[in-house]
Amino acid sequence: MSSKPTMTPELLEKLRDAGPGGIEEALQEAFPDGLPEEILARVAPMIDKLIQLEPGQALEGTPFGKPGGNFAPNGVAVEGGIPKTNEDRVQRFLRARKRNVSGAWGRESSNIVNSGVNHSARKSGAVVDWRGLKAISADDLVVDATHKGSYFFGRISTASGYVNFAGTVVFLVEDFISKEIVEVCGYNVPDLRNVGKTFSVGRPVAIAEPFYKLRADGTPGIRFDSIADCDFIRNEPRTLVAWNELAKELVTNPSVKAGRDGEHPAAYCYRQALEACSNEAKFLATLHTNIATCEWQLANPVGELRHGLMALGLDSSVANPKPLMRVVIAVAQLDVDLHRSVAKVAGERFGSGTVQRLSKEGLEGKQVSSQRPAAGGGALALPGMVQLLVKQPQDLAQLARDKGKGKGARGTGGKQQTAADVKEFAKKLYLSGRHADAADHYEICYSLYAEEVASEVAAPGPQVADWVAEIGVALREQVGLAMKAGKYSDWLLLQCAAAVSLDPRSSLGWIRYAQLAAKISGKPATAIEFLKKAADDIPQQPRKDADHSGAVGTAEQSDPGGWHAGMHSLRTELLAEIQSLQKAAAAGTSAKPVSAETTQQRKARNPVPDVLDPVDLPDELDFLDRLSALFTMGGSKALASILGENLKFLATRPVPNVSLEFATNCPIPAGLDAANVQQAIAFGYRTSKANPQMHLIQMLENTWHLSPREVMKRFHGTDALEWLLEQESAALHPGLVLRFMDDLSQQWEEGKAPRLRYSGNIRSSFGNNPNQSEIMHLGTTHVAVGFNDLGVLVGAQLQAHPAAEFVGRPLRFVGLELNSYSVAKTKVIVQLIVTGSVSPTLIVQCWLSSTWTRDAVTAFKRAAAQVLSEDRSLLRKGNEEVRSYISTWVAAEPRSGNHGRRAWFTLQVENKYRCFMDTLNFKRQVDRLAHLNYSLTGEVAVSEGEFASLAMFNVPAGAPFMIAESVFAAISGAQIGQLVQQAIDRDPVPGVLELMVARFEKKFAEFRKMMHREELQIEVHHCEVSANWEVPCNIGRHLLPDAGPKTNGAILDLISSLYQPYTMSWSNVQDYMPPRAFHASARRCSAHGEVVHSGYSINWAFWVYGTSVTDYMDCTDMYPVMVDDGGFVRKLMEQACGEVIQFNAKLLSLDTIFHSPPFDTPLNIGHYILAVGLHKHWTNYWFGEADVEGRKASLRKRGLKLNQRNSGLQVGCVAPGTLFGCNRVQTPVCMNWTYDQELRLQKVSGGDQSLPAGLAEEASAWLGHLSHGVVP
């Protein structure tokens, strides 16, 4: 007799560990036959409590605790709080290692990010070229990736804890930058007797191109296969220059990102650089403060300001207010308004009381200026700073030595004086009132001290005082990193001014100061004015006093230290920056609004359908949780009795817990709120887990009810519905085409102008539907109408033409697009392809990604500027909108990457989180995580991009609003299957997104080669291809010759006479034209002959009766339905979810990529099978409308020139799309045809978007009754 199931303490603990997203699986595993009532009563409070938890919160004792208190960031308890010392970090690491908690190795679990590619480690024994490697932080290590071009650098924290005869060592390393602990495992280590010495505690070690992997026990660590991969010569950076060099490596390494606190690792290095020379810097800061005080006594506020700034750069600590107060006092004597600004900064840093007291003392008896700041000046564009910094020598030590020789301060009585001696003497001079002499001696002291400490601060052997410039570099780069993080303040501006004063020969400091001043003031012109002033004040010729002896000598003698050569170079660089800013400003003035309405007004007038208010999401999640728990606790027997034997697997099959997968393997994307991210992922997971069963039960029991909104969605509006309601019931049957467009065709034939056009109030960054795989021949022209982007060309097969007449000629790709945004963006993308220095990866970023790297921003802006200056067609009337977009991009200042990620995520929220439901359809975790990360961030070919996409988020006023989109929707399931098959020999097969990006990169590289060999020409135009022939042409008018008609019909004639297309693609333009009007317009484009056309319809299924499962259910009174009395819906769903769909997946090589059937509402699955069986009803109707018999005379009268080459009709391939994939439109019908009576099209079975041969027939066989209009 079997024992009665009970709730054990072990099971309770398992339920706690499962968390909100996994409790149902845990219960089902423990009680496969259903949950007893007494146990249900005991567990119900826990379920309710789990459901009510905030995202990231968990019951006490679970591993999902919030960060804070005595929990590490990953939720692992830490005895004694967060560790602060190296020993504490090691002990925490070892405790976590012992517990084998993945991701708890002294760091956030955010580091455990699977790259999606199982890269192998570096080849054992390979020679390491350290010169090209750049440092990487522990926070940037990615699991299962070999970090090419990088090295990991740290200090050994523990001796090797394991050694065997195979030469294996294991030890811990503390990262120099993040102070985190990483475990390292080395293989093939020789000389095991001295391994303790080789890997001794405290010894610095660098590991080339580290391979970071998950070991067999689930813990992460670095692996190296040869001692040659390690470098023990590199020492921990200790000097100013060494820290600056390390910081530079981190900044220029694209693999290094901001840490979990939002700070870039380089910022830490720059702070360490300043700390390395803090004692020396403080001494020099005192000297400059004293010199500034002397200048104050000499009534020279300009000199006081300069030395005050240098002192501030050398010592800006809160403990020393004097440098900043010297700046405050100097500015007060120069500009009263700027004095208020600087005093405010000082007050915020040191307290208003201190500032008032020191200001009062310093300004007593001084003349305070009432001068107003110059128009357009920045918030702190300090007066006189430019003249001061560019007109005084940088090498103060050289000048001080000259002064010292003249005054005899270098030594008396043969005794060499030290810096401390001269400082004391200068102080006595100051107290005696000899302020000028005191200033001179302080400068002499500066020289002596710089010589004394130079070798210690900046080894090896720098020139005197060069290390002061290195301090300026560290300070300047700290300001730059703060600006990258979106931080702008007057204090930063003062720090930048101080950095310039310490390193005035670097143009970066001047440019950064100008950018920061312009950003704070809100006046972009400020930067140009400031840099102009700086460039004008830099001496263009060597100064007369450059040679202190007065004699003419060598270049070195006349320009000691290369000072004037450096200043000349500075001026050249500033002038180049001014020119660049002026071009951007000029482009900005030409960026006119593209609509009288604002973007928000257009969005309000055309709201996104089905928008879900985010505040409703918690209630929805609560409902889904309870629904799922109900199914689980109700037992599989009750569910099976409703679903039936053939469908019960849909309710019981395991659902990948993506919430847990993401929490375990991925960090929260930068800039996004953790709670919102977790809710979005949970919504997709729980919807896929609970809703399919509920929908299926409603369908099978005929309890489904369509709302009025859902009815409108079923028919894509009211036109088709109204036509249906006018028909007799006896005439209704599956496959009935709702011919509401017949009236529009009749209006068109009468010369009227029915308006059927795609909404101009929305814009897509890229094509969101898969393109057909066109065949394009070199030497011919392809015209793409409604191309949207280069997806048509990317998906095409480019082949040489067999005929000799085409050899040696290029393929000409001509794009005609109504949307000005798409034209503008594609023009810039084409320019990027042509530019040889831009990598294909950057092109993919600019085309598809929501965030970009700095290199991508630079490349895009340069390409846009080049298009603006070279494309003369943009100056013609009709191209104003295209020019406005490109001008906006040239002048735009990119927003932060966090802004781009937030904006992208907001679009997904507005779209009811649909994309997160697609994630469950992927079988492999690598694909699910990649899809989730993309859905959250929109990032492609970049991770945590520094800037938001200019193309997506910087558009002129009045631009159409963006809608949610997905790069996964741009490729069909069949195309994904082809990519997977091509990579089938790789182990493991890479993720789908990685394969897509690699495909795009390869295509762009091929296009570049072809364009350079003059085998490919790409041109795109803003042009409307319209069937309203007699209407004046507005969009595309610039393409028409000056002499001749300016109508839409003239555009069609231009296509035939000028471009003479060999192939022509129409996207889904046919959905927006009456069929007769479309065919007549396409014939007009084909008057020259030999044209093969292709296109696809998305909307056709809306306009065919019987393509929706709801057409067979008693679910609405708004339109007549065919009530299912004979189990048709059940049979349909059994076939749809069974053999047909699974056979389809296997034949397309998708059975290892996608779940079959997908985790989706049964409505969509049934809709697809019905569409397969009924699509020919639509295509027969649509091609039937192409007949011109009886209408030739009227068509000729309206301008159509019919001949043997455009008056026939031959249909080639007609095929429905595949169900698998992430495109929201699952049933497009793709077609190709020709009107040329002399051509013979080769009929193939479907192409890359069709069902496999015989599958459509098999699907229609069991739906055979549909063809006869009978429902059993």
Side-chain angles (χ1 to χ4, degrees):
M1 182 175 179
S2 61
S3 60
K4 187 176 181 180
T6 59
M7 178 62 71
T8 63
E10 291 78 13
L11 180 56
L12 282 174
E13 184 65 24
K14 187 174 183 179
L15 293 176
R16 291 193 187 97
D17 291 343
I23 189 171
E24 292 88 351
E25 287 90 338
L27 287 171
Q28 188 174 16
E29 181 182 348
F31 304 103
D33 295 327
L35 199 62
E37 291 186 3
E38 60 271 23
I39 296 181
L40 176 60
R42 186 176 178 184
V43 181
M46 180 187 297
I47 297 174
D48 289 338
K49 192 170 183 180
L50 281 169
I51 292 173
Q52 294 168 9
L53 292 176
E54 296 293 330
Q57 187 181 1
L59 294 173
E60 184 178 356
T62 71
F64 299 102
K66 283 186 175 181
N70 286 338
F71 280 82
N74 55 11
V76 178
V78 178
E79 295 86 344
I82 300 297
K84 297 181 180 179
T85 66
N86 173 264
E87 184 178 354
D88 291 339
R89 285 189 286 270
V90 170
Q91 290 304 316
R92 185 183 76 166
F93 178 91
L94 294 176
R95 286 194 299 271
R97 182 75 168 81
K98 186 176 181 180
R99 287 193 297 269
N100 193 20
V101 182
S102 179
W105 318 121
R107 295 176 284 132
E108 284 195 52
S109 59
S110 63
N111 292 321
I112 314 303
V113 182
N114 194 298
S115 67
V117 184
N118 186 15
H119 299 281
S120 61
R122 294 185 70 258
K123 185 177 180 181
S124 179
V127 177
V128 180
D129 183 5
W130 290 90
R131 294 171 299 177
L133 303 185
K134 297 178 180 179
I136 192 172
S137 166
D139 287 332
D140 298 298
L141 294 173
V142 178
V143 167
D144 282 346
T146 297
H147 298 77
K148 299 290 186 181
S150 302
Y151 68 88
F152 176 72
F153 192 26
R155 183 191 299 108
I156 298 175
S157 296
T158 62
S160 178
Y162 176 75
V163 181
N164 66 15
F165 291 107
T168 303
V169 295
V170 180
F171 54 94
L172 302 182
V173 176
E174 180 187 29
D175 179 16
F176 279 138
I177 303 166
S178 65
K179 300 302 179 185
E180 303 295 357
I181 301 295
V182 179
E183 190 167 36
V184 177
C185 183
Y187 296 87
N188 306 312
V189 176
D191 194 13
L192 293 179
R193 291 173 298 179
N194 294 320
V195 71
K197 181 179 179 181
T198 304
F199 298 97
S200 58
V201 175
R203 189 178 188 187
V205 61
I207 301 172
E209 298 187 337
F211 176 42
Y212 195 57
K213 61 171 291 186
L214 284 179
R215 276 80 64 89
D217 61 359
T219 61
I222 291 175
R223 165 180 173 163
F224 64 86
D225 288 330
S226 170
I227 193 69
D229 295 340
C230 298
D231 178 13
F232 301 97
I233 299 177
R234 291 171 182 259
N235 293 317
E236 178 181 1
R238 297 182 184 277
T239 66
L240 164 67
V241 173
W243 278 112
N244 274 358
E245 287 298 319
L246 179 59
K248 184 178 179 181
E249 289 181 8
L250 292 168
V251 169
T252 56
N253 189 345
S255 300
V256 176
K257 309 295 181 185
R260 57 175 176 263
D261 56 358
E263 182 181 72
H264 196 284
Y268 167 79
C269 295
Y270 285 124
R271 286 199 303 273
Q272 291 299 110
L274 297 175
E275 182 65 26
C277 62
S278 60
N279 292 332
E280 296 80 7
K282 287 177 180 178
F283 183 88
L284 293 182
T286 302
L287 296 181
H288 281 292
T289 302
N290 292 342
I291 296 173
T293 305
C294 294
E295 298 287 5
W296 169 70
Q297 291 286 6
L298 296 170
N300 181 12
V302 173
E304 180 185 7
L305 173 60
R306 180 177 190 276
H307 286 284
L309 282 172
M310 293 190 73
L312 182 64
L314 292 164
D315 184 10
S316 59
S317 63
V318 179
N320 184 13
K322 291 183 179 180
L324 184 54
M325 292 315 304
R326 295 263 59 102
V327 174
V328 171
I329 294 168
V331 170
Q333 300 171 70
L334 296 168
D335 190 307
V336 65
D337 286 346
L338 289 179
H339 165 64
R340 295 191 185 101
S341 298
V342 181
K344 180 182 177 183
V345 175
E348 292 171 350
R349 190 162 182 80
F350 299 110
S352 56
T354 302
V355 174
Q356 291 175 0
R357 176 177 59 80
L358 293 177
S359 295
K360 183 178 180 181
E361 295 174 1
L363 294 173
E364 187 173 355
K366 299 294 180 183
Q367 180 68 36
V368 177
S369 172
S370 60
Q371 175 186 349
R372 304 291 299 177
L380 285 174
L382 302 176
M385 192 183 95
V386 174
Q387 299 92 320
L388 283 167
L389 297 182
V390 301
K391 290 187 177 179
Q392 292 194 20
Q394 155 73 0
D395 197 347
L396 294 178
Q398 178 65 40
L399 180 61
R401 279 195 295 272
D402 294 336
K403 289 183 178 180
K405 291 175 182 176
K407 296 179 179 295
R410 292 280 295 180
T412 54
K415 178 184 178 182
Q416 182 73 23
Q417 290 188 323
T418 65
D421 298 333
V422 178
K423 181 182 176 184
E424 278 301 313
F425 186 64
K427 182 177 180 180
K428 292 177 182 179
L429 292 173
Y430 178 83
L431 294 175
S432 66
R434 296 169 61 184
H435 302 123
D437 289 339
D440 288 341
H441 278 73
Y442 278 124
E443 290 181 349
I444 295 169
C445 178
Y446 180 103
S447 169
L448 292 174
Y449 189 75
E451 290 178 335
E452 291 172 7
V453 302
S455 59
E456 300 176 18
V457 178
Q463 294 184 1
V464 177
D466 274 2
W467 63 274
V468 174
E470 285 288 334
I471 295 177
V473 170
L475 189 59
R476 180 192 73 215
E477 294 306 317
Q478 275 190 310
V479 172
L481 290 171
M483 291 173 66
K484 286 183 182 179
K487 300 176 182 177
Y488 307 98
S489 67
D490 287 345
W491 171 243
L492 272 182
L493 194 61
L494 275 176
Q495 285 186 302
C496 193
V500 173
S501 70
L502 294 172
D503 184 24
R505 278 189 284 188
S506 170
S507 62
L508 285 177
W510 293 94
I511 293 170
R512 194 156 289 158
Y513 183 91
Q515 292 172 338
L516 189 55
K519 187 70 177 180
I520 293 174
S521 67
K523 301 174 182 178
T526 299
I528 297 176
E529 294 173 9
F530 178 83
L531 293 177
K532 274 186 176 180
K533 182 65 177 171
D536 291 344
D537 285 343
I538 293 175
Q540 299 186 44
Q541 299 294 333
R543 297 210 328 250
K544 293 180 180 179
D545 61 346
D547 180 9
H548 300 280
S549 66
V552 177
T554 64
E556 178 61 27
Q557 291 173 332
S558 61
D559 187 14
W563 170 255
H564 294 291
M567 297 308 288
H568 177 73
S569 176
L570 169 64
R571 185 173 186 274
T572 302
E573 292 169 1
L574 295 184
L575 289 175
E577 179 67 16
I578 292 169
Q579 186 178 16
S580 175
L581 291 174
Q582 287 174 332
K583 284 184 178 180
T589 59
S590 63
K592 307 297 183 184
V594 296
S595 172
E597 292 181 297
T598 66
T599 300
Q600 290 303 318
Q601 287 172 333
R602 299 176 77 164
K603 190 171 185 178
R605 184 162 57 83
N606 293 274
V608 178
D610 305 332
V611 171
L612 175 68
D613 188 344
V615 298
D616 295 335
L617 188 55
D619 292 337
E620 182 77 8
L621 289 174
D622 179 75
F623 168 75
L624 292 172
D625 274 334
R626 295 178 186 279
L627 182 62
S628 183
L630 174 64
F631 287 138
T632 301
M633 297 170 192
S636 58
K637 292 182 179 179
L639 204 55
S641 66
I642 299 174
L643 299 179
E645 195 64 27
N646 294 331
L647 291 174
K648 69 178 183 179
F649 76 95
L650 294 176
T652 58
R653 61 176 174 166
V655 181
N657 192 336
V658 290
S659 296
L660 184 59
E661 289 177 351
F662 189 84
T664 304
N665 294 281
C666 301
I668 300 297
L672 300 186
D673 179 75
N676 291 338
V677 168
Q678 291 162 352
Q679 279 192 343
I681 298 173
F683 179 79
Y685 166 62
R686 298 176 194 178
T687 299
S688 298
K689 186 176 177 61
N691 268 354
Q693 299 96 292
M694 177 59 73
H695 291 173
L696 194 56
I697 291 172
Q698 290 175 317
M699 290 168 60
L700 297 177
E701 296 191 336
N702 211 8
T703 58
W704 191 284
H705 178 72
L706 285 183
S707 67
R709 181 181 61 83
E710 289 171 324
V711 173
M712 295 301 104
K713 183 178 178 181
R714 157 66 185 91
F715 293 102
H716 201 60
T718 60
D719 292 338
L721 177 60
E722 290 174 357
W723 189 92
L724 176 64
L725 294 175
E726 293 174 357
Q727 310 307 306
E728 297 291 337
S729 298
L732 302 183
H733 61 85
L736 174 66
V737 177
L738 310 181
R739 303 177 61 143
F740 70 95
M741 281 197 181
D742 287 356
D743 291 338
L744 297 178
S745 292
Q746 186 61 38
Q747 293 176 28
W748 177 81
E749 289 188 335
E750 294 172 358
K752 298 177 182 178
R755 296 292 289 178
L756 273 177
R757 196 173 79 174
Y758 193 73
S759 173
N761 286 319
I762 61 176
R763 61 183 166 91
S764 299
S765 297
F766 45 83
N768 280 263
N769 286 294
N771 289 288
Q772 290 181 265
S773 183
E774 309 281 350
I775 295 178
M776 301 182 190
H777 291 99
L778 273 64
T780 68
T781 297
H782 178 90
V783 172
V785 179
F787 65 90
N788 194 280
D789 62 10
L790 290 180
V792 178
L793 189 59
V794 168
Q797 302 175 45
L798 309 186
Q799 301 177 358
H801 199 287
E805 62 184 288
F806 296 98
V807 175
R809 291 161 50 185
L811 167 65
R812 187 183 185 189
F813 179 89
V814 180
L816 304 177
E817 171 63 53
L818 174 64
N819 191 306
S820 55
Y821 169 82
S822 296
V823 175
K825 181 178 177 182
T826 304
K827 280 180 177 288
V828 180
I829 295 295
V830 171
Q831 184 60 48
L832 288 171
I833 295 174
V834 174
T835 306
S837 60
V838 179
S839 71
T841 302
L842 295 184
I843 302 175
V844 174
Q845 279 183 42
C846 294
W847 180 27
L848 299 172
S849 183
S850 66
T851 67
W852 297 350
T853 60
R854 180 178 293 276
D855 289 341
V857 171
T858 302
F860 190 85
K861 287 173 72 73
R862 287 177 179 170
Q866 194 164 352
V867 171
L868 202 60
S869 62
E870 296 179 359
D871 191 341
R872 310 313 298 171
S873 69
L874 295 177
L875 300 176
R876 301 191 65 177
K877 187 175 181 180
N879 258 335
E880 294 85 358
E881 288 187 10
V882 177
R883 180 177 178 82
S884 184
Y885 278 109
I886 300 177
S887 299
T888 298
W889 295 329
V890 172
E893 182 176 343
R895 300 174 180 177
S896 70
N898 286 347
H899 172 87
R901 285 180 284 272
R902 284 193 295 266
W904 175 272
F905 182 71
T906 300
L907 292 174
Q908 309 310 317
V909 173
E910 291 180 347
N911 199 39
K912 206 173 180 179
Y913 302 90
R914 283 192 176 97
C915 59
F916 296 100
M917 291 181 271
D918 293 330
T919 300
L920 276 295
N921 291 328
F922 288 100
K923 272 191 175 182
R924 301 184 302 171
Q925 185 184 85
V926 61
D927 290 326
R928 291 195 294 272
L929 294 179
H931 187 271
L932 268 184
N933 188 70
Y934 173 75
S935 299
L936 291 169
T937 66
E939 293 178 326
V940 179
V942 63
S943 176
E944 293 195 0
E946 186 178 349
F947 299 103
S949 163
L950 287 176
M952 286 187 184
F953 306 115
N954 290 82
V955 292
F961 60 88
M962 275 184 64
I963 58 173
E965 49 195 348
S966 172
V967 70
F968 285 89
I971 186 169
S972 70
Q975 291 166 340
I976 290 175
Q978 290 176 359
L979 291 178
V980 172
Q981 280 300 107
Q982 292 167 5
I984 200 68
D985 293 333
R986 297 168 64 178
D987 185 21
V989 176
V992 169
L993 183 58
E994 182 182 350
L995 291 173
M996 289 168 60
V997 171
R999 175 184 182 235
F1000 297 147
E1001 292 175 346
K1002 181 180 179 181
K1003 284 288 187 177
F1004 287 136
E1006 290 176 358
F1007 295 163
R1008 174 173 292 164
K1009 291 178 181 177
M1010 292 180 67
M1011 295 180 80
H1012 288 173
R1013 295 195 299 257
E1014 298 184 350
E1015 295 175 349
L1016 174 64
Q1017 296 176 358
I1018 304 175
E1019 56 183 280
V1020 293
H1021 303 286
H1022 188 207
C1023 177
E1024 179 180 13
V1025 178
S1026 171
N1028 298 324
W1029 298 351
E1030 294 81 10
V1031 174
C1033 172
N1034 292 319
I1035 303 176
R1037 191 183 187 91
H1038 63 282
L1039 296 175
L1040 296 172
D1042 295 334
K1046 302 293 189 296
T1047 61
N1048 290 328
I1051 291 290
L1052 304 179
D1053 294 334
L1054 180 79
I1055 292 173
S1056 178
S1057 61
L1058 178 63
Y1059 300 132
Q1060 296 189 344
Y1062 189 78
T1063 51
M1064 197 166 178
S1065 58
W1066 290 88
S1067 184
N1068 67 321
V1069 172
Q1070 63 190 65
D1071 287 336
Y1072 299 94
M1073 287 186 188
R1076 291 179 213 164
F1078 175 87
H1079 286 294
S1081 300
R1083 290 181 190 275
R1084 194 164 177 174
C1085 297
S1086 311
H1088 60 288
E1090 286 195 287
V1091 187
V1092 176
H1093 297 264
S1094 63
Y1096 59 90
S1097 173
I1098 292 175
N1099 296 343
W1100 75 271
F1102 297 122
W1103 302 330
V1104 174
Y1105 190 56
T1107 55
S1108 173
V1109 182
T1110 58
D1111 295 346
Y1112 306 91
M1113 295 162 45
D1114 188 10
C1115 58
T1116 180
D1117 295 328
M1118 293 186 66
Y1119 75 92
V1121 296
M1122 299 171 286
V1123 179
D1124 171 25
D1125 294 325
F1128 172 71
V1129 171
R1130 177 177 292 278
K1131 184 177 180 182
L1132 171 69
M1133 296 314 303
E1134 288 177 352
Q1135 292 287 339
C1137 298
E1139 296 177 1
V1140 173
I1141 201 69
Q1142 293 174 16
F1143 177 71
N1144 191 2
K1146 187 173 184 179
L1147 209 57
L1148 292 173
S1149 302
L1150 295 174
D1151 52 322
T1152 61
I1153 302 300
F1154 292 107
H1155 285 285
S1156 175
F1159 290 99
D1160 198 356
T1161 170
L1163 281 177
N1164 288 342
I1165 302 173
H1167 176 72
Y1168 169 73
I1169 297 299
L1170 290 169
V1172 169
L1174 298 174
H1175 75 277
K1176 289 183 180 179
H1177 291 271
W1178 169 261
T1179 56
N1180 290 339
Y1181 157 74
W1182 190 77
F1183 282 117
E1185 291 291 286
D1187 185 20
V1188 293
E1189 291 301 323
R1191 298 189 291 125
K1192 291 182 179 180
S1194 62
L1195 291 173
R1196 285 194 179 100
K1197 186 176 180 180
R1198 296 184 60 189
L1200 174 58
K1201 300 175 182 178
L1202 290 169
N1203 56 50
Q1204 190 75 5
R1205 311 308 298 270
N1206 70 341
S1207 59
L1209 177 66
Q1210 184 185 168
V1211 179
C1213 172
V1214 175
T1218 57
L1219 174 65
F1220 298 97
C1222 297
N1223 47 310
R1224 302 310 307 175
V1225 181
Q1226 301 284 13
T1227 53
V1229 169
C1230 306
M1231 301 167 278
N1232 60 41
W1233 68 96
T1234 182
Y1235 304 108
D1236 193 325
Q1237 297 184 32
E1238 298 180 11
L1239 288 182
R1240 290 295 176 265
L1241 295 182
Q1242 180 181 359
K1243 291 195 175 184
V1244 293
S1245 182
D1248 71 346
Q1249 283 199 333
S1250 69
L1251 291 172
L1255 185 58
E1257 289 75 10
E1258 179 183 337
S1260 351
W1262 67 267
L1263 286 174
H1265 56 276
L1266 294 180
S1267 302
H1268 300 91
V1270 179
V1271 178

